[in-house]
Amino acid sequence: MSGPVRSWFLNRSLNQKLLLIFFIPVLFLVAVSIWSMVVFKDFEAAEDLLERSILIRGQAIYYLERLYFVQNAFRGYLLTGDQSYLSHYDDAKGDIDLAGLELARLVKDSPVQSNRDMVVNIQVATRRLIGEKDAVITRMASGAQDEGIAYMKSGRGLDLVNIISSQIDLFQSSVAQLQNERQASVEAKRKVVMGVIAGGGFMSLLLSGIGLMLFARSVTNPMSALATVAVQIGKAETVTFPDADRSDEVGLLSRSMAVMDRQIRAQIADLKRSESMLRDLSKNLTLSELRYRSLVEYAPLGIFTIAGHTWTFANPFECELMGLPAGCIPSFAHWREALHPEDVDRVMREFRSAVEQEIPFESQFRFVRPDGQVRHIFSRGIPVQKSHVGGGFYLCLDLDVTQMVELQERLAPAERLATLTRMATSIAHDLRTPLLGLEQGLQGLKYVAAHQLDQNGKRLLEDLHTGARLAVGIVQDILDLYRQAYGELPLSYSTFCIDDVVREVIELMAAEVGDRRLSISIKGQGHEVWADRRRLFRVMVNLLDNAVKNSPAGGHVTVVLTEQDRRLFVNVEDEGQGLEADAIDKLFEPSRTFSTPTRGGTGLGLYLCRLVVGAHKGSITAENRQEGGARFTFNIPIDRRKEFNGHLHSDRRRPASVQAQPEDGA
């Protein structure tokens, strides 16, 4: 009989075997659990009865305490007549009534009838005692003070209290006996529960262990045989797989291993055929690696790889960017030391953040080479291989963008100038007409009111006219800047004496010159030129204003006029602190830094001087004097009419740069 049963068991699947093995222990465990629940319910019921007995005893003690409190409050009132004792007396009456009701509720379901009867007797005696005391208190309130003393001397109240106390003692004794009986019942039921749980658990574990042993034997024996077969397969021996006829997972595994054995033998044969192909691929890979290294080493791009914060590779161009000698093996410290001091903290913070998060790194910074040369670098790092603990493998590229940055720096002033020109021109067009009208009106007012104002009024009118002329000049400067930005600056030529222009400017600035206690002298007289008088007037205003502003109080400004090789040279010299050496080359650039615009002007005075002088085919320079102070010099041709006439005869028209323009024309 055991043979067919064993064969039937072995041919079941592993899941079916597990169900069969655990079926009996589970049924036994279910039965034990049901039995345990029934016994535990009895145990809980016994514990509830025990807890009720404890509550009854506690409530009896509380009742007795309230009774004594009623007696003491009553006696205190009788002895002292203090009304506060009555409030305590009333509170105690209410408490003892509630305690009596709670005690009656607790013994309502008591199995001992005598206990219920004793509670009733105690409540009756208590009501009688309280009724007598209330009657005594009522009579005392109506004036019979001796009633309280007589009642207390009679000892009736004390006798009732003793009777109630003795009844409570008997009740507690009965309850204590019942409590002890219930305690014994609880202990007995607790032992039964523990026995059922412990015994049922032990039997369940025993049955489970037996089932697991049977299950393990049905699996381990064939698996041991299969392990022996696997060793034989490794030795390339011919093998026979055991238990291949079984219907369970072991039989399926045995048959699968037989199929795998045949496949492995076929794959080994294929592997031998592929070995020669692998050798050829290895040779091709070596050639590809050589080509890649050649490309990386000669590429005009810094290339390096890092793993975390460790450099693993850098091409020669990267070493050249950092200023390292040829053949040097760069490190993270070299890269950090090569960074510009102003970029170190920012770049290191960005780099560490990218490496920790394993995201692409992108930044622009500067390398300072050992020879002092600064290279602008655009760097980008890409995480090629990420790490579960941070610090993955990065491929980084450093591109030298120095030329592009220098080009942007050269274009920036032109962009700022174009923006300033567009904004200022719009404002100048709106201000030009009213300012011209104001200036001409003030000029006419000077002549009309010359004999009608006192000296202060004339000086005030003169200052207003000077301010208006300066404002008109600023507007014309802005319009000249606009014309130069969108084409060659047109000039309105006429013949005049440059000496008169200088004196007119000095007269215009007389108020400020007087305030600063300065003196201005002109050296050289009688120089006529053919040029744009209004624009040369603006040049002299800007140069003299600059000299006056930078001269110390009580100083001297000199204007020197000379002719040489048909060119007029004008020098404006002051006795100030002079020019900074590194700022001389940028004085006439629109992008230079200005401290304060000259006399409330545009701040572009020197730049406009260069434009006007250049339009006259001249040049302007600045230098420091050996005696102290600064010297500004410009020169222009004295007369260019022959040049223009020859050009007009050949072209039959005047060039745009010399077309006649009104003095206040836009």
Side-chain angles (χ1 to χ4, degrees):
M1 186 66 180
S2 61
V5 173
R6 180 177 180 278
S7 177
W8 178 85
F9 179 76
L10 293 177
N11 286 323
R12 299 302 96 193
S13 65
L14 294 179
N15 290 333
Q16 292 174 346
K17 290 175 183 176
L18 287 173
L19 290 175
L20 290 172
I21 289 171
F22 287 104
F23 181 75
I24 294 176
V26 168
L27 287 179
F28 180 78
L29 185 61
V30 170
V32 170
S33 300
I34 294 173
W35 188 19
S36 299
M37 290 176 63
V38 173
V39 176
F40 190 73
K41 285 183 178 180
D42 292 341
F43 171 72
E44 285 184 335
E47 277 197 334
D48 290 342
L49 292 175
L50 177 60
E51 184 177 356
R52 182 181 290 270
S53 298
I54 295 172
L55 291 175
I56 290 172
R57 292 188 66 184
Q59 191 65 26
I61 293 171
Y62 177 72
Y63 190 91
L64 185 59
E65 289 177 352
R66 296 293 94 188
L67 179 65
Y68 286 142
F69 196 84
V70 169
Q71 179 67 10
N72 292 334
F74 178 74
R75 293 181 67 184
Y77 174 69
L78 293 181
L79 294 175
T80 62
D82 188 356
Q83 295 293 326
S84 63
Y85 283 103
L86 289 180
S87 62
H88 296 308
Y89 173 76
D90 293 336
D91 293 340
K93 286 196 306 180
D95 292 341
I96 202 170
D97 287 341
L98 294 176
L101 294 174
E102 179 64 17
L103 189 61
R105 185 186 67 79
L106 291 174
V107 300
K108 181 180 179 181
D109 298 328
S110 175
V112 181
Q113 179 62 36
S114 61
N115 290 344
R116 297 196 294 271
D117 295 339
M118 280 190 286
V119 170
V120 173
N121 294 334
I122 290 170
Q123 288 180 310
V124 171
T126 302
R127 293 191 192 97
R128 186 167 62 251
L129 174 65
I130 292 174
E132 291 178 357
K133 294 182 182 300
D134 289 342
V136 172
I137 292 172
T138 302
R139 288 194 295 273
M140 289 178 66
S142 62
Q145 298 294 331
D146 296 336
E147 287 292 329
I149 302 299
Y151 180 79
M152 187 172 60
K153 289 181 178 180
S154 67
R156 178 172 177 76
L158 183 61
D159 292 339
L160 283 175
V161 170
N162 291 333
I163 292 171
I164 295 171
S165 176
S166 61
Q167 289 179 349
I168 291 176
D169 290 340
L170 290 175
F171 175 74
Q172 286 185 330
S173 299
S174 176
V175 171
Q177 182 180 359
L178 181 61
Q179 179 180 345
N180 292 333
E181 293 175 358
R182 288 175 175 175
Q183 181 71 34
S185 175
V186 168
E187 293 297 330
K189 292 182 182 297
R190 180 182 287 110
K191 292 179 181 179
V192 173
V193 170
M194 296 300 296
V196 171
I197 293 175
F202 175 76
M203 289 301 297
S204 298
L205 291 174
L206 180 62
L207 292 174
S208 299
I210 294 173
L212 288 174
M213 186 179 297
L214 293 175
F215 175 77
R217 288 178 62 83
S218 68
V219 176
T220 56
N221 289 339
M223 293 302 294
S224 178
L226 288 175
T228 303
V229 171
V231 173
Q232 295 175 349
I233 292 175
K235 297 179 180 179
E237 298 177 359
T238 303
V239 296
T240 301
F241 292 90
D243 297 320
D245 56 341
R246 284 173 55 169
S247 302
D248 62 347
E249 287 82 355
V250 174
L252 178 62
L253 178 61
S254 180
R255 292 189 295 274
S256 299
M257 288 185 66
V259 175
M260 290 175 58
D261 178 52
R262 293 191 294 270
Q263 292 177 349
I264 289 173
R265 294 179 186 276
Q267 290 176 359
I268 289 174
D270 294 338
L271 184 61
K272 291 180 179 179
R273 289 192 298 269
S274 301
E275 186 177 359
S276 60
M277 297 175 60
L278 183 61
R279 292 193 186 97
D280 296 337
L281 290 175
S282 179
K283 293 179 181 179
N284 294 333
L285 181 61
T286 302
L287 293 175
S288 298
E289 183 179 0
L290 291 174
R291 296 191 187 98
Y292 168 74
R293 285 186 175 275
S294 299
L295 177 63
V296 169
E297 290 181 358
Y298 293 103
L301 184 71
I303 302 173
F304 62 95
T305 58
I306 60 172
H309 295 286
T310 304
W311 282 46
T312 56
F313 169 78
N315 69 338
F317 193 77
E318 180 68 22
C319 299
E320 181 182 348
L321 287 178
M322 292 190 291
L324 299 177
C328 177
I329 301 177
S331 65
F332 192 76
H334 289 131
W335 188 69
R336 190 181 188 281
E337 291 175 359
L339 289 173
H340 194 282
E342 296 178 358
D343 298 339
V344 172
D345 293 338
R346 174 182 60 83
V347 176
M348 297 304 298
R349 183 172 59 253
E350 294 174 353
F351 182 78
R352 288 195 180 95
S353 176
V355 171
E356 290 173 359
Q357 301 179 49
E358 299 191 25
I359 59 176
F361 164 76
E362 185 173 302
S363 182
Q364 188 164 344
F365 49 83
R366 293 164 291 178
F367 277 150
V368 181
R369 296 160 57 95
D371 58 1
Q373 185 181 11
V374 178
R375 308 302 298 175
H376 294 266
I377 305 298
F378 177 77
S379 182
R380 180 174 177 82
I382 302 173
V384 179
Q385 181 180 355
K386 292 189 175 182
S387 169
H388 297 292
V389 295
F393 185 83
Y394 271 73
L395 172 63
C396 303
L397 306 176
D398 283 352
L399 178 63
D400 188 352
V401 294
T402 303
Q403 294 182 351
M404 182 181 69
V405 172
E406 293 176 351
L407 179 60
Q408 290 176 347
E409 291 177 353
R410 289 195 295 269
L411 291 177
E415 294 177 356
R416 289 195 295 269
L417 178 59
T419 303
L420 176 63
T421 301
R422 288 192 296 270
M423 181 177 64
T425 302
S426 177
I427 298 173
H429 274 295
D430 294 337
L431 293 177
R432 172 180 167 275
T433 300
L435 285 177
L436 281 174
L438 179 62
E439 191 268 338
Q440 292 172 359
L442 288 172
Q443 185 175 7
L445 184 60
K446 284 172 57 179
Y447 294 107
V448 172
H451 302 290
Q452 301 177 11
L453 297 175
D454 58 9
Q455 191 63 27
N456 292 331
K458 293 179 181 180
R459 185 180 300 108
L460 176 61
L461 185 59
E462 181 66 28
D463 291 342
L464 290 173
H465 182 242
T466 300
R469 291 187 63 187
L470 290 173
V472 172
I474 291 172
V475 171
Q476 294 296 346
D477 286 346
I478 295 173
L479 294 175
D480 287 345
L481 182 66
Y482 174 78
R483 295 188 186 96
Q484 194 277 336
Y486 292 93
E488 190 173 358
L489 182 67
L491 301 176
S492 179
Y493 281 85
S494 63
T495 301
F496 59 93
C497 185
I498 193 67
D499 314 32
D500 298 336
V501 173
V502 175
R503 292 188 184 90
E504 186 177 349
V505 173
I506 294 174
E507 181 181 355
L508 178 67
M509 301 176 63
E512 184 173 357
V513 171
D515 292 341
R516 298 177 64 87
R517 293 180 287 107
L518 301 176
S519 60
I520 303 178
S521 62
I522 304 174
K523 294 183 179 181
Q525 303 292 332
H527 300 284
E528 285 191 352
V529 294
W530 187 67
D532 190 323
R533 189 181 193 282
R534 181 182 63 79
R535 289 191 170 88
L536 285 184
F537 176 84
R538 292 300 305 164
V539 170
M540 291 306 303
V541 167
N542 288 325
L543 293 181
L544 278 175
D545 179 74
N546 187 70
V548 169
K549 181 180 64 178
N550 291 284
S551 294
H556 184 72
V557 177
T558 304
V559 180
V560 182
L561 306 175
T562 58
E563 289 186 21
Q564 184 178 353
D565 298 331
R566 300 295 298 167
R567 299 185 72 86
L568 172 67
F569 288 82
V570 180
N571 296 343
V572 179
E573 302 174 353
D574 62 63
E575 297 177 349
Q577 296 180 353
L579 305 171
E580 297 180 2
D582 56 351
I584 292 179
D585 295 337
K586 298 181 179 179
L587 279 175
F588 303 101
E589 296 295 330
S591 59
R592 72 182 184 93
T593 304
F594 299 97
S595 57
T596 303
T598 301
R599 294 177 60 84
T602 63
L604 296 172
L606 295 179
Y607 174 65
L608 288 169
C609 289
R610 193 194 74 178
L611 294 182
V612 172
V613 172
H616 284 83
K617 303 303 179 183
S619 62
I620 185 169
T621 59
E623 61 183 352
N624 287 319
R625 302 170 60 217
Q626 293 181 353
E627 303 87 348
R631 177 187 293 115
F632 286 82
T633 303
F634 73 88
N635 67 86
I636 59 172
I638 291 179
D639 194 342
R640 297 179 61 203
R641 279 178 288 192
K642 292 182 179 180
E643 175 186 345
F644 290 145
N645 289 335
H647 188 72
L648 285 171
H649 286 123
S650 60
D651 290 350
R652 298 296 182 181
R653 61 181 179 180
R654 301 184 70 185
S657 60
V658 296
Q659 290 177 358
Q661 298 289 338
E663 284 294 310
D664 58 348

